[in-house]
Amino acid sequence: MIVAENLTRVYTMGRVEVHALAGVSLEVAKGEFVGIMGASGSGKSTLLHILGLLDRPTSGSVTIDGVDVLALSDHQRTLFRLNRLGYVFQDYALIGELTALENVYLTSLVRGAPKDEYIERSADILRQVGLGGRTDHRQSELSGGEQQRVAIARALMNNPSILLADEPCANLDSQTSKSILDLFARLNEELDQTILMVSHEEWHKEYFCRVVTLRDGVIGDMVECRKM
Amino acid sequence: MSAVFSGIKASTFLAWKSIQRGNRGTLALTIMIIALILVNLVFLPSIISGVVVTFDTQSIDFDLGNLVVEPREGSQYIEDVAVLQRKIERIPGIVGTSPRIAAGVTYSYRGRIAASTLYGITPEDERSVTKIADRMIAGEFLSNGDTDAIVMGTTLAGREGEEAGGLPSLQGVVVGDSVEVAYPNGERRTYRVKGIYETQSFSVDTAAFVTGREMSGVLGLDDQASMILVKTGVSGREDAYKRELLSYGVQEEVRTFREKSGGFVDQAVQSFNIINTISTLVSLIIAIVVVFIVIFINTVNRRRQIGILKAIGIGQQIIINSYILQVLFITTVGAIAGIGLTAGVTTYLTAYPLVFPGGPVYPDVEVSAVLQSVASLFAVSVAAGYIPAWQIVREDILSAIRG
């Protein structure tokens, strides 16, 4: 469960202060598929970065599964990301020198899992995302949709309690986007995976349990979209 | 412990994939530079060491033996040479002694004149100390009974019509020729050239030898010598043997061949060491710069990748260690290639040695020097690789990802 209270994030650019978040409070229950929407510059990605422990707020608090994550040291935050979070980036963010399989099992290797186990599991996850035949391909040999599926498989590898996705379909055509969203919906429904996804596409709303709309760094609307 | 182990495994994995799938050309070039730096680190000291070894060997084998016994202060000659010889030869570890009478003489040959040192020796004794008798290029060495024979160095004998670059030369003496010698006491003798030797040590090759009996007769000496050369069983322990001689009651001046050389080698070695230190520092600075640039460019180019790794939970130390391991790989392969190149150069220069005035110089590659060079190379490479990796890894995740 995520509990974020009164989050602010101020960027200083020269003499100008930009209030990316101006007091956002949000609770996300386990098993929710929450869409964070809003116009460009509304603070969607900033919120996701803070909840994904990639950035720190200027003020406010964040608790994930009962852990005050803002009180953690950099090393503890790294371990928290490794063990509890899965992050999917807009532009896939794969490691170009690694194959699809290697990209997926890298975090398990770091966690010290047995080799047989992590190879089998990463191959299995790649099969689940429809890339069973592409395990030995490198980033340059995969299409955008395939790369994003590898990124999702990587994010799922360590059974994260929360999957965070920052506009994962932004660079994909609508058909591929739909397949990615179907995959998220399946993970949410079948595995009870908590998902926070940033999007600006209206048609994505049908996949979300709840849509949080940001406007100028504050929550404008919070709408239930479908039954959990 | 298991976290540390899995961290090392992950670093190794990332490093190996980067080496395996990174730019091969850059990798090969970096390895080549490291190899050449190692060659430079090892080669110059090996030549300096070779010069010292050559000088020592030439001095011991042809000029001075290991120790030189000289007259007491105020005396021109050593007295009772036979008794002193027997005393020295009884000392354990002494394998031979050779008394020599030295005189500055003038040689005349077909109207040509040259001045150098003539030694009076006991040929059998000389054979037990020096290897001049083994270096005859024409004719034979002296025998104990010779009275009208002389052997001379190839430089002194010279070649017909050729100057010897300021060195004494009779320009064309061959075996069987007669050479007149004018002694310092005014006596003149004519000797038949029995042999010509070549040691490649210029001080020996510009000298000549007659028997001690002959020279004693000319100079009116009896059981006297200008010096006694002493050959020890083991080279390199001259100071210990010198103390041994003194403890056995040798009253004459005893000097090691290095002392007798007047510190020439020590001074030369000191000068060479300054050059060597500068060369070593320059080589290591080049190594630092090369490795730093390679890793710096590597990390800057992978700034985004490093940000991604951190974002998905890969610790900073794992990322830094992956770069350190890449540096270790490059340095290890470079060092192996460098050792291979050094072996090749050493083999070549052993077959075709550099020619110095003191004789042919063979590279003397000492294992300890190689190990020291390799260790220095690893130390500077790791340091030079660590700094850029550490700098980039400390960067904020989002800034790194955004590039």
Side-chain angles (χ1 to χ4, degrees):
Chain A
M1 182 178 187
I2 302 171
V3 180
E5 289 182 348
N6 206 25
L7 292 177
T8 67
R9 182 67 171 99
V10 181
Y11 296 105
T12 306
M13 295 175 174
R15 291 179 182 176
V16 181
E17 284 192 343
V18 178
H19 293 259
L21 294 180
V24 171
S25 296
L26 176 71
E27 284 192 16
V28 179
K30 172 152 178 57
E32 265 196 292
F33 185 0
V34 176
I36 301 172
M37 304 191 76
S40 181
S42 60
K44 311 184 292 290
S45 292
T46 303
L47 177 61
L48 203 74
H49 291 154
I50 290 170
L51 298 180
L53 276 61
L54 302 181
D55 195 8
R56 287 179 184 273
T58 306
S59 66
S61 68
V62 179
T63 306
I64 300 176
D65 295 340
V67 178
D68 177 4
V69 294
L70 299 183
L72 300 177
S73 67
D74 283 348
H75 179 63
Q76 287 169 326
R77 285 161 69 86
T78 301
L79 290 178
F80 197 92
R81 285 196 298 273
L82 178 69
N83 295 313
R84 310 281 275 276
L85 304 179
Y87 210 104
V88 179
F89 296 87
Q90 182 176 326
D91 56 359
Y92 331 127
L94 297 181
I95 307 299
E97 287 157 357
L98 305 182
T99 64
L101 191 75
E102 290 163 347
N103 263 290
V104 174
Y105 71 59
L106 178 60
T107 51
S108 276
L109 174 68
V110 174
R111 279 160 57 104
K115 188 176 180 181
D116 292 346
E117 190 181 294
Y118 66 64
I119 287 182
E120 190 182 330
R121 177 164 163 71
S122 52
D124 186 45
I125 294 175
L126 281 171
R127 265 195 301 277
Q128 286 179 37
V129 299
L131 292 175
R134 311 285 276 168
T135 54
D136 293 329
H137 289 70
R138 286 165 63 182
Q139 184 175 16
S140 57
E141 299 161 342
L142 299 170
S143 68
E146 287 172 328
Q147 289 181 51
Q148 196 59 290
R149 284 165 189 272
V150 174
I152 293 166
R154 178 179 66 186
L156 295 173
M157 183 66 186
N158 290 339
N159 291 319
S161 53
I162 302 155
L163 183 65
L164 302 115
D166 188 3
E167 302 206 43
C169 304
N171 297 327
L172 305 176
D173 59 62
S174 57
Q175 195 174 349
T176 311
S177 297
K178 188 172 181 314
S179 70
I180 296 290
L181 285 163
D182 286 342
L183 175 64
F184 277 160
R186 186 159 57 83
L187 291 168
N188 175 244
E189 284 166 15
E190 293 176 7
L191 304 175
D192 203 24
Q193 177 69 56
T194 309
I195 303 173
L196 258 79
M197 177 174 148
V198 168
S199 172
H200 61 269
E201 296 280 355
E202 283 296 315
W203 65 272
H204 290 179
K205 282 183 179 174
E206 64 183 275
Y207 287 91
F208 302 142
C209 308
R210 186 157 53 113
V211 174
V212 176
T213 305
L214 291 178
R215 284 195 196 96
D216 297 328
V218 294
I219 293 177
D221 292 319
M222 211 169 324
V223 182
E224 294 270 342
C225 291
R226 67 178 169 92
K227 289 282 181 199
M228 284 175 63
Chain B
M1 192 64 191
S2 71
V4 173
F5 183 67
S6 56
I8 292 169
K9 264 176 71 178
S11 298
T12 310
F13 173 80
L14 288 170
W16 179 241
K17 294 299 174 189
S18 180
I19 290 164
Q20 200 179 24
R21 295 171 186 163
N23 187 318
R24 296 259 168 102
T26 306
L27 180 69
L29 192 65
T30 312
I31 287 171
M32 181 62 78
I33 292 170
I34 295 290
L36 293 175
I37 288 168
L38 185 74
V39 171
N40 194 44
L41 284 173
V42 175
F43 182 67
L44 189 58
S46 80
I47 291 297
I48 293 170
S49 186
V51 169
V52 174
V53 168
T54 296
F55 185 86
D56 288 355
T57 306
Q58 294 287 102
S59 296
I60 292 168
D61 288 349
F62 302 113
D63 202 5
L64 300 168
N66 297 91
L67 299 171
V68 182
V69 179
E70 294 180 299
R72 297 172 203 186
E73 202 171 336
S75 302
Q76 190 180 356
Y77 295 106
I78 299 167
E79 306 291 337
D80 300 322
V81 169
V83 172
L84 183 55
Q85 260 190 287
R86 282 198 295 277
K87 182 192 274 188
I88 295 170
E89 286 173 356
R90 279 202 297 270
I91 298 170
I94 302 299
V95 297
T97 60
S98 176
R100 282 182 175 184
I101 304 165
V105 301
T106 304
Y107 306 92
S108 301
Y109 171 72
R110 293 184 183 172
R112 293 188 280 270
I113 293 171
S116 79
T117 307
L118 177 67
Y119 293 102
I121 56 170
T122 308
E124 280 306 308
D125 289 346
E126 188 69 21
R127 283 175 188 275
S128 71
V129 175
T130 70
K131 295 178 178 174
I132 296 169
D134 301 333
R135 294 298 176 94
M136 304 307 295
I137 57 169
E140 294 173 5
F141 195 62
L142 296 168
S143 302
N144 280 4
D146 287 335
T147 52
D148 64 343
I150 188 170
V151 294
M152 59 176 60
T154 182
T155 308
L156 179 61
R159 287 185 183 177
E160 189 69 44
E162 281 186 21
E163 298 279 340
L167 296 173
S169 171
L170 295 170
Q171 297 181 40
V173 172
V174 294
V175 171
D177 284 348
S178 293
V179 173
E180 188 183 71
V181 175
Y183 282 88
N185 62 358
E187 292 284 334
R188 304 179 87 85
R189 293 285 188 277
T190 299
Y191 297 117
R192 178 183 54 85
V193 176
K194 189 177 181 183
I196 295 171
Y197 58 81
E198 182 174 18
T199 66
Q200 295 186 307
S201 177
F202 77 93
S203 64
V204 182
D205 287 348
T206 53
F209 294 84
V210 295
T211 59
R213 183 193 297 178
E214 164 63 15
M215 202 181 226
S216 293
V218 174
L219 298 176
L221 304 176
D222 180 25
D223 200 17
Q224 292 165 297
S226 306
M227 65 186 79
I228 298 174
L229 308 189
V230 180
K231 174 82 172 170
T232 62
V234 180
S235 292
R237 295 185 55 228
E238 283 77 14
D239 288 324
Y241 282 115
K242 177 183 170 179
R243 288 194 294 276
E244 196 77 357
L245 255 68
L246 296 174
S247 73
Y248 268 74
V250 173
Q251 303 289 315
E252 281 69 18
E253 290 281 342
V254 180
R255 292 200 279 178
T256 66
F257 73 93
R258 279 272 180 94
E259 291 167 340
K260 177 69 178 168
S261 305
F264 166 77
V265 177
D266 293 334
Q267 284 176 5
V269 168
Q270 276 178 12
S271 302
F272 276 134
N273 280 342
I274 291 169
I275 297 168
N276 187 36
T277 304
I278 293 167
S279 170
T280 301
L281 282 175
V282 170
S283 295
L284 291 177
I285 288 168
I286 292 170
I288 289 172
V289 170
V290 168
V291 173
F292 187 94
I293 289 172
V294 167
I295 297 298
F296 182 74
I297 292 172
N298 196 325
T299 49
V300 166
N301 286 341
R302 291 166 199 237
R303 196 172 155 211
R304 182 175 144 74
Q305 180 174 310
I306 289 170
I308 293 164
L309 288 170
K310 286 170 68 179
I312 63 172
I314 312 295
Q316 289 187 12
Q317 202 54 50
I318 290 174
I319 299 168
I320 291 172
N321 288 346
S322 77
Y323 283 97
I324 299 291
L325 287 170
Q326 287 179 58
V327 170
L328 287 175
F329 175 84
I330 289 167
T331 312
T332 303
V333 177
I336 291 167
I339 289 169
L341 278 173
T342 304
V345 172
T346 304
T347 305
Y348 178 81
L349 287 177
T350 303
Y352 306 98
L354 299 171
V355 179
F356 276 50
V361 171
Y362 301 93
D364 180 35
V365 180
E366 293 172 10
V367 175
S368 62
V370 175
L371 292 177
Q372 195 180 335
S373 298
V374 170
S376 307
L377 201 53
F378 269 98
V380 298
S381 298
V382 168
Y386 182 87
I387 293 165
W390 176 75
Q391 278 181 329
I392 297 287
V393 163
R394 283 172 64 224
E395 195 180 18
D396 166 60
I397 293 175
L398 292 175
S399 303
I401 289 177
R402 286 171 189 143

